[in-house]
């Protein structure tokens, strides 16, 4: 669509990398194949010189140069929503237990990754009622389809389990998770399934899905509860507007970094709160304050706060960038790009 050159990357750690690369090139339409200007082998372990004969054969078969072999690198970067191994690995419950509801159409689940950096805190992804247990905090993530995932939550029995625990467990929803926690979701424009669906009723909020997607960066301050006064920053990407009802406490006051406009966002209601702000736990002391509050409720004293996750992520991407600079033929890659200018 944007008339871009393409680098095709094969993951050797999964096996069959030559078949991946050659097979993909061979099966593409001719006009698509012409876009591929370079091949890359990723996540290689060992001496890359042993690949040389195979790489030369691959270049001859495809008629496309190999732009580099990238070694397996220990970097902690965010997973793509549908590929994360976090969803399937068994996580032992620690002194504080946090449960993320693994919605079928989950998105932006890395919002909660900062909690993994605290000693004594476990972050589990829960798909069944039998796995929920009695966590100290339940987290409802974003979703690519709020109504469909709310219906699944209801049919799976997890909604009833969450409602049963709502009086004593801290519950936090972001974006689609926030919408689910409200009283009602309406879809008059057929953005998802159309119609109106009852929400979980834990927040005095009604949501209407709109035809325009909100995409912006925000900064601001949390207004109440245990997080009162905490500065926040993050981004919004959602369909729909949520309107609080009655005299309820807003979660935060934010400033749109694109338009400059200020507004309130989200709602506090007892142990439950929700917001549209993704990345809210990445920076500052918000995650640490939540962990300390949960620990104090149980009479626990945990170790030092987790690191500033926003800074940690920047360091990890810098590490990845340095590795790519070292092992890719950047002169050749820049040449490929200049040919499309």
């Amino acid at each position: 669509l944007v008339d871009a050159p393409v680098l095709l990357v094969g993951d050797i750690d999964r096996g069959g990398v030559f078949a991946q690369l050659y097979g993909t090139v061979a099966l593409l339409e001719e006009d698509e194949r012409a876009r591929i200007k370079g091949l890359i082998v990723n996540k290689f372990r060992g001496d890359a010189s042993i690949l040389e004969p195979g790489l030369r054969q691959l270049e001859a078969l495809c008629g496309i140069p190999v732009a580099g072999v990238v070694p397996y690198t220990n970097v902690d970067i965010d997973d793509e929503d549908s590929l994360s191994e976090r969803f399937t690995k068994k996580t032992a419950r620690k002194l504080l237990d946090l449960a993320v509801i693994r919605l079928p159409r989950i998105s932006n689940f890395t919002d909660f990754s900062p909690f993994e950096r605290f000693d004594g805190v476990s972050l589990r992804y829960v798909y069944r009622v039998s796995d929920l247990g009695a966590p100290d905090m339940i987290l409802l993530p974003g979703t690519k389809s709020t109504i469909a995932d709310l219906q699944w939550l209801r049919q799976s029995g997890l909604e009833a389990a969450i409602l049963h625990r709502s009086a004593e467990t801290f519950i936090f929803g972001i974006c689609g998770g926030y919408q689910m926690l409200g009283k009602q979701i309406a879809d008059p424009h057929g953005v998802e399934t159309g119609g109106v669906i009852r929400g979980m009723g834990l927040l005095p909020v009604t949501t209407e899905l709109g035809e325009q997607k909100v995409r912006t960066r925000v900064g601001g301050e949390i207004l109440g509860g245990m997080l009162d006064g905490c500065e926040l920053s993050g981004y919004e990407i959602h369909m729909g507007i949520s309107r609080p009802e009655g005299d309820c406490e807003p979660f935060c006051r934010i400033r749109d970094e694109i338009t400059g406009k200020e507004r309130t966002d989200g709602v506090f209601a007892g142990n439950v709160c929700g917001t549209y702000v993704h990345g809210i736990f990445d920076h500052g002391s918000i995650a640490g304050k939540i962990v300390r509050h949960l620990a104090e409720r149980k009479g626990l004293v945990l170790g030092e706060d987790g690191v500033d996750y926003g800074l940690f992520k920047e360091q990890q991407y810098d590490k990845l960038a340095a590795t790519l600079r070292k092992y890719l033929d950047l002169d050749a890659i820049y040449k490929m790009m200049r040919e499309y200018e």
Side-chain angles (χ1 to χ4, degrees), residues 52-175:
E52 283 300 320
L55 298 178
R56 302 292 79 83
Q57 184 180 14
L58 185 66
E59 288 180 326
L61 288 169
C62 296
I64 301 170
V66 173
V69 176
V70 181
Y72 194 101
T73 308
N74 185 24
V75 289
D76 188 353
I77 60 177
D78 288 343
D79 298 326
E80 198 277 328
D81 290 335
S82 63
L83 297 177
S84 179
E85 296 177 356
R86 285 179 168 91
F87 296 156
T88 54
K89 73 176 183 180
K90 294 292 184 181
T91 301
R93 301 181 194 189
K94 299 182 181 179
L95 294 173
L96 286 182
D97 180 37
L98 278 57
V100 181
I101 304 301
R102 184 192 161 190
L103 302 169
R105 300 161 188 83
I106 190 170
S107 67
N108 302 90
F109 73 94
T110 52
D111 282 338
F112 309 117
S113 298
F115 291 107
E116 295 177 336
R117 314 220 70 79
F118 289 85
D119 291 335
V121 176
S122 56
L123 187 76
R124 301 181 293 114
Y125 291 87
V126 174
Y127 193 73
R128 300 179 181 85
V129 173
S130 58
D131 294 332
L132 181 62
D136 300 289
M137 183 176 179
I138 295 173
L139 299 155
L140 283 168
T143 166
K144 300 177 184 70
S145 181
T146 302
I147 292 176
D149 276 354
L150 176 57
Q151 291 171 330
W152 171 84
L153 199 68
R154 194 155 283 158
Q155 293 161 1
S156 69
L158 276 167
E159 179 192 38
I162 294 168
L163 293 175
H164 178 70
R165 299 210 56 80
S166 61
E168 56 193 49
T169 301
F170 188 40
I171 300 174
F172 199 109
I174 294 182
C175 199

Side-chain angles (χ1 to χ4, degrees), residues 293-308:
H293 174 77
L294 295 176
E296 289 169 2
R297 288 180 62 181
K298 298 180 74 172
L300 300 172
V301 178
L302 297 185
E304 294 296 315
D305 289 353
V307 300
D308 184 314

Side-chain angles (χ1 to χ4, degrees), residues 201-341:
L202 293 176
L203 292 177
V205 170
T206 58
T207 297
E208 181 174 304
L209 301 182
E211 296 178 289
Q212 298 297 317
K213 177 170 281 191
V214 176
R215 292 184 293 261
T216 191
R217 292 197 59 83
V218 298
E221 180 183 10
I222 297 178
L223 297 176
M226 61 179 164
L227 301 173
D228 186 32
C230 286
E231 293 185 359
L232 65 85
S233 63
Y235 65 96
E236 292 186 28
I237 178 168
H238 59 90
M239 306 288 284
I241 302 296
S242 296
R243 295 180 175 85
E245 296 183 347
D247 186 21
C248 58
E249 187 176 10
F251 176 71
C252 60
R253 177 170 292 281
I254 56 177
R255 181 177 184 273
D256 190 308
E257 294 183 1
I258 296 176
T259 66
K261 294 181 179 179
E262 291 192 358
R263 54 188 165 84
T264 57
D265 173 79
V267 171
F268 266 115
N271 292 327
V272 185
C273 63
T275 178
Y276 273 116
V277 182
H278 291 289
I280 189 171
F281 303 121
D282 283 3
H283 304 279
S285 59
I286 294 176
K289 281 196 172 184
I290 290 175
V291 167
R292 284 197 298 276
H293 174 77
L294 295 176
E296 289 169 2
R297 288 180 62 181
K298 298 180 74 172
L300 300 172
V301 178
L302 297 185
E304 294 296 315
D305 289 353
V307 300
D308 184 314
Y309 195 67
L311 176 61
F312 173 79
K313 286 202 295 187
E314 289 298 320
Q315 293 170 339
Q316 295 301 301
Y317 281 108
D318 286 344
K319 183 178 179 181
L320 176 62
T323 301
L324 296 180
R325 287 192 189 98
K326 182 176 180 180
Y327 290 97
L328 295 182
D329 185 348
L330 289 184
D331 288 339
I333 292 172
Y334 289 139
K335 183 179 178 181
M336 298 169 196
M337 296 166 66
R338 283 193 294 270
E339 290 174 356
Y340 273 74
E341 288 180 347

Side-chain angles (χ1 to χ4, degrees), residues 14-30:
R14 295 173 181 265
V17 73
F18 292 108
Q20 290 178 40
L21 293 168
Y22 173 70
T24 300
V25 171
L27 290 170
L28 288 174
E29 299 292 339
E30 186 175 345

